[in-house]
Amino acid sequence: MRTFLKRRVSFPRLPAPPDWPGLVRRFNSPQGLCAFAWIFVVTAIVFSALPLLRYFRGRTLFDYKLWYETGQHVLAGHEIYFLRSGKYDFMYPPPCALFLAGASLLGQGGLILLLVAINSAAWFYSARLSAILAGGMAGARNVWLYVIPNLLVIVYIWSSYHLGQPSLVLLALMLGAFFSLRANHETVTGSLIAVAAAIKAFPVIAIVYLLYRRYWIAAVSLVVTLVFLVLILPAPFRGFERAWRDIEKWRAGMLKYSETSVGQRPMRSYTWKNQSLVGVSNRLLRHVDADAASAPHQPIYVNLANLKFSVVNAIVVGIALALGSVFIAVMPRRDMRTVETDAIEFALLLLLMLMVTPLSFGYFYSWLMLPFAVVTQLVLAAKHSAILWWSLPAMALLALGLFFSRGAQLYGNTFFATLLLFVGLSIELLRCKKRSKQMQPAAS
């Protein structure tokens, strides 16, 4: 018995647990950043090649075809805005058509090549500026601030390439404006926002923000640049009188809102494709076809109530004012602002624009790149875990769109995910604001 007890019993050794901290450090290193850069290049090439392959195979070109035809109309001196099947084909502001005229000189294939190249450059700068705004200059070397936000919005980025939409360009311009604002280059800020507005009009919220924050130079720069792009720049090509008529026709066609349509989108305004506050409210609170199409189809209704159009409008305005009031309430005073609070504030401004813009389709939500970069930075810095309680449900709602694309979007999954991020980041900014107030008496 003693011999048995003294005998050593050998047990199989368990494999050593993975060195997670070591793996994290190895990933978040210059080598990891280089690997991500190569992955980005390969992905951008694939995303760019697919629209070109469709062109060479004679397949559907989606909006690329419209951009080429619009550019040809401008070159031929034709009208830009004309009705076809009861709506405008081209719905963007006149300066956008002028740019497309120059691009269409390259031919249809050349135009597609140019636009996907611009999209790739915009994607690169959007990713880099999001990382810098969220984490400072150290954020530019943090691989997590590139990987996580871009992975979460990759579907929307692909949609921009697939359909030929400029949402990544708009994002790069807005992030460049925020970066310039933080560097006290107000003139550049106003000009960049004006260029974005000239591509796809949404200057009202940006102007209100600049005025509220008393960025007078930026606001004046925005207005002056916008006037130049809309009136002066087209005059040598279209003539001043025709340039003015283009603006009038665009205003008459696009700046309207009725029971059946927003702007020139009668078949999309209140359908599952529109994830804005206006679109979601109208299809959930009115008896409207949530899957309208020009061809005969089976209508789909998802409304939880059947309210009058005027009542829904009052609700939309009330919610928009509430969101704007929350944004103003959580914003810190100018002397209490930091790099961290600015990042959250800029992210909230983008989220507000996504929700309040009357037409907000799927590809537009590549703008979530900055909010997700800010959330990632907050989690990595271990500031507060509370932001996760808002971010994880938001990501779950967005994930529903991958598995139940139409079903989830019928009920506004993208809008409500954006709303959750807005609430979570608002609470985080309010916490930063309170912390700054507590530190001020101690410092004095």
Side-chain angles (χ1 to χ4, degrees):
M1 178 63 69
R2 290 178 182 176
T3 307
F4 176 77
L5 291 174
K6 289 179 181 179
R7 187 183 302 163
R8 281 185 168 181
V9 180
S10 60
F11 294 96
R13 292 186 178 181
L14 295 174
D19 182 16
W20 290 115
L23 290 174
V24 169
R25 283 194 301 271
R26 202 174 302 124
F27 180 75
N28 192 25
S29 64
Q31 293 78 14
L33 190 60
C34 183
F36 173 78
W38 278 109
I39 293 172
F40 167 81
V41 169
V42 171
T43 307
I45 290 173
V46 172
F47 282 5
S48 301
L50 293 176
L52 287 166
L53 286 175
R54 282 204 311 270
Y55 165 71
F56 288 121
R57 292 179 178 180
R59 303 286 179 82
T60 303
L61 295 178
F62 301 105
D63 288 332
Y64 290 109
K65 182 175 182 290
L66 174 61
W67 305 151
Y68 177 73
E69 291 175 348
T70 300
Q72 290 295 298
H73 286 311
V74 176
L75 292 175
H78 298 160
E79 292 291 338
I80 302 173
Y81 305 102
F82 54 89
L83 293 175
R84 181 181 294 177
S85 302
K87 64 180 183 66
Y88 289 170
D89 275 4
F90 181 73
M91 306 178 194
Y92 288 72
C96 185
L98 200 64
F99 165 76
L100 293 172
S104 68
L105 289 170
L106 302 173
Q108 199 162 12
L111 177 139
I112 295 173
L113 180 60
L114 176 63
L115 293 185
V116 295
I118 292 173
N119 251 349
S120 298
W123 183 12
F124 171 80
Y125 281 106
S126 295
R128 183 167 177 79
L129 289 173
S130 292
I132 293 174
L133 288 170
M137 293 311 298
R141 300 184 298 274
N142 191 330
V143 182
W144 295 109
L145 294 182
Y146 292 98
V147 172
I148 295 177
N150 282 273
L151 191 61
L152 291 173
V153 300
I154 193 69
V155 173
Y156 309 119
I157 291 171
W158 158 240
S159 294
S160 295
Y161 282 89
H162 178 62
L163 300 174
Q165 281 293 325
S167 54
L168 283 171
V169 177
L170 298 174
L171 175 61
L173 290 168
M174 292 302 298
L175 295 179
F178 296 154
F179 184 79
S180 300
L181 199 60
R182 205 164 73 178
N184 294 319
H185 299 315
E186 291 189 40
T187 305
V188 177
T189 297
S191 299
L192 289 173
I193 296 176
V195 173
I199 296 173
K200 187 169 185 176
F202 53 82
V204 176
I205 295 177
I207 292 176
V208 170
Y209 172 76
L210 293 176
L211 293 176
Y212 181 81
R213 274 301 192 188
R214 299 182 182 179
Y215 288 117
W216 311 121
I217 296 175
V220 171
S221 172
L222 192 160
V223 173
V224 170
T225 306
L226 198 56
V227 170
F228 171 78
L229 292 173
V230 171
L231 278 177
I232 300 174
L233 183 63
F237 307 96
R238 302 280 289 172
F240 184 80
E241 185 177 342
R242 172 165 275 193
W244 181 259
R245 190 166 72 246
D246 289 339
I247 298 170
E248 282 294 309
K249 293 190 73 174
W250 178 83
R251 181 197 60 78
M254 293 303 300
L255 301 185
K256 65 179 185 180
Y257 174 48
S258 68
E259 294 186 28
T260 57
S261 177
V262 177
Q264 294 288 312
R265 291 289 193 180
M267 297 301 164
R268 290 190 181 181
S269 298
Y270 307 130
T271 68
W272 59 274
K273 295 180 180 180
N274 186 8
Q275 292 292 306
S276 70
L277 172 62
V278 170
V280 173
S281 298
N282 272 275
R283 68 174 172 270
L284 291 184
L285 300 177
R286 286 203 303 136
H287 191 66
V288 297
D289 187 357
D291 193 23
S294 55
H297 68 287
Q298 182 67 36
I300 296 178
Y301 301 100
V302 295
N303 54 301
L304 307 176
N306 190 12
L307 306 178
K308 292 182 179 179
F309 183 59
S310 57
V311 176
V312 174
N313 284 338
I315 293 173
V316 168
V317 171
I319 294 174
L321 289 175
L323 292 173
S325 299
V326 168
F327 182 46
I328 291 173
V330 300
M331 287 165 59
R333 293 199 316 264
R334 198 160 186 170
D335 60 338
M336 295 167 56
R337 292 169 65 178
T338 64
V339 172
E340 181 183 3
T341 62
D342 276 354
I344 302 174
E345 187 173 309
F346 295 150
L348 286 172
L349 182 58
L350 289 186
L351 293 172
L352 191 63
M353 294 172 75
L354 282 172
M355 291 186 289
V356 176
T357 299
L359 293 171
S360 193
F361 301 120
Y363 45 77
F364 208 9
Y365 284 84
S366 58
W367 283 33
L368 294 177
M369 189 185 299
L370 177 62
F372 278 132
V374 172
V375 170
T376 303
Q377 173 62 25
L378 290 172
V379 172
L380 290 175
K383 292 289 184 180
H384 293 283
S385 60
I387 190 66
L388 284 175
W389 291 105
W390 298 96
S391 303
L392 291 176
M395 288 186 282
L397 282 175
L398 293 175
L400 282 177
L402 298 176
F403 303 102
F404 312 100
S405 176
R406 186 168 303 188
Q409 291 182 81
L410 279 169
Y411 292 94
N413 72 308
T414 314
F415 168 78
F416 288 112
T418 306
L419 182 60
L420 286 173
L421 288 172
F422 182 86
V423 174
L425 287 172
S426 295
I427 293 172
E428 192 63 39
L429 187 56
L430 183 61
R431 186 179 285 115
C432 292
K433 183 179 178 180
K434 289 180 178 178
R435 189 165 61 243
S436 297
K437 284 182 177 180
Q438 293 170 355
M439 291 174 64
Q440 277 189 339
S444 60

